[in-house]
Amino acid sequence: MSGEILHAIANIFRPTSTPAESISGLSMLVLAVCLAIFVAVSGVLVVTLVRFRLRKDDDGLEPAQAYGSTQVEIAWTVIPILIVVVLTMATARVVSEVQNKQAPPGALHATVVGHQWWWEIRYPELGIVTANELHVPRSDPARPRPTFLRLESVDVAHSFWVPQLAGKTDVIPNHPNSMWMDPRVEGTFLGNCAEFCGLQHANMLLRVVVQSPEDFEKWVAEQKQTARRDHPGQDLFVSFSCINCHAVSGTPAAGSFGPDLSHLMSRRTLGAGVIPNTEANLRRWIKEPQTVKPGNLMPNMQLNEHELDQVVAYLASLK
Ligand code: CUA
């Protein structure tokens, strides 16, 4: 993908999709209300401190005590109730707007499966399986094409969060959740897992690539192709137990515990964002997966240098 625009800072205050906009708007309302309360309370505090500070000519007597002002009591009961009611209603509105949205005809559907510590991404209607990079088409307000995600987990609870596109949604075993986004700006948006899920929780990074409808269709066509099968390293690769965990379309490799490798080199990173996906890093990853990302489920296959060369060359051919 050429000319990639990377939105490097996942800024919740710069939403580019409807759910994220609704949430950001609500955050601004809550912040404004809290700011007003803060200014009022600290203003009264400062006035009190200055006006009633201890003076040299203080007579040392206790000031006049006042008990039971109905007006003051009504005011400090009613005002907080009104604030809470307003915030509750605004929140309920945003929650229902975000959660109750039904997928319109023509929406894109994808399934995101959380793993320790990477994201499996499936497009059941398109027959595509990939990892850690969710590709979605830009959704023009005139011709909306939102993406609806089904969120699943195969192990522990994770949380899917791409701040500029949508809110956080937990990814829970045996309890599919859903979320949607309709990004209007192209480029790569960064996200991460937002629920502590073990040793490499912080290295479970996510990239959402928002493409023009044409570029998205191009990507779909490339991903749907069977993996390249003419590389001399293929026979060696499928002779190893790599294929128990990884799949490469059109070969005996059909494992599903690890990421699908059919179009490995179309992805930008290895190990869910731990290192850039280059041939040198690929070699490092296969040789010492536990050094690159300690605790991950990829074992060291103990390949010798020759085998490593062959396997890396083969995997690097999987565009
Ligand atoms: Cu997955 Cu934290």
Side-chain angles (χ1 to χ4, degrees), residues 115 117 119 157-159 193-197 201 204:
H115 291 254
W117 292 278
W119 305 95
H158 304 271
S159 181
C193 180
E195 176 78 45
F196 182 69
C197 55
H201 156 69
M204 189 168 166

Side-chain angles (χ1 to χ4, degrees), residues 152-303:
E152 299 173 3
S153 169
V154 295
D155 37 50
V156 299
H158 304 271
S159 181
F160 184 96
W161 192 31
V162 187
Q164 279 174 273
L165 301 182
K168 272 176 209 167
T169 307
D170 278 359
V171 180
I172 301 168
N174 303 316
H175 180 89
N177 274 339
S178 61
M179 73 187 302
W180 63 282
M181 53 180 69
D182 58 349
R184 288 184 287 276
V185 176
E186 285 172 34
T188 299
F189 294 89
L190 301 182
N192 42 278
C193 180
E195 176 78 45
F196 182 69
C197 55
L199 188 60
Q200 291 290 346
H201 156 69
N203 283 329
M204 189 168 166
L205 307 178
L206 187 65
R207 300 165 79 85
V208 178
V209 185
V210 180
Q211 294 172 295
S212 67
E214 304 77 51
D215 284 352
F216 177 73
E217 291 311 324
K218 228 170 91 189
W219 177 81
V220 167
E222 284 162 10
Q223 296 289 314
K224 279 169 95 165
Q225 280 171 14
T226 307
R228 215 184 124 170
R229 269 176 293 186
D230 54 357
H231 195 277
Q234 183 186 306
D235 290 341
L236 186 68
F237 174 76
V238 299
S239 75
F240 291 125
S241 50
C242 309
I243 65 170
N244 291 340
C245 291
H246 293 284
V248 179
S249 57
T251 76
S256 59
F257 295 116
D260 188 295
L261 303 177
S262 307
H263 301 280
L264 173 65
M265 297 317 282
S266 70
R267 306 199 283 262
R268 286 294 171 107
T269 69
L270 289 172
V274 163
I275 42 175
N277 187 7
T278 62
E279 210 169 319
N281 279 341
L282 189 55
R283 190 184 169 91
R284 220 177 113 209
W285 173 256
I286 296 167
K287 199 175 172 190
E288 302 181 310
Q290 295 304 318
T291 311
V292 179
K293 189 171 182 177
N296 89 82
L297 295 183
M298 166 115 168
N300 183 337
M301 300 302 291
Q302 312 288 349
L303 306 184

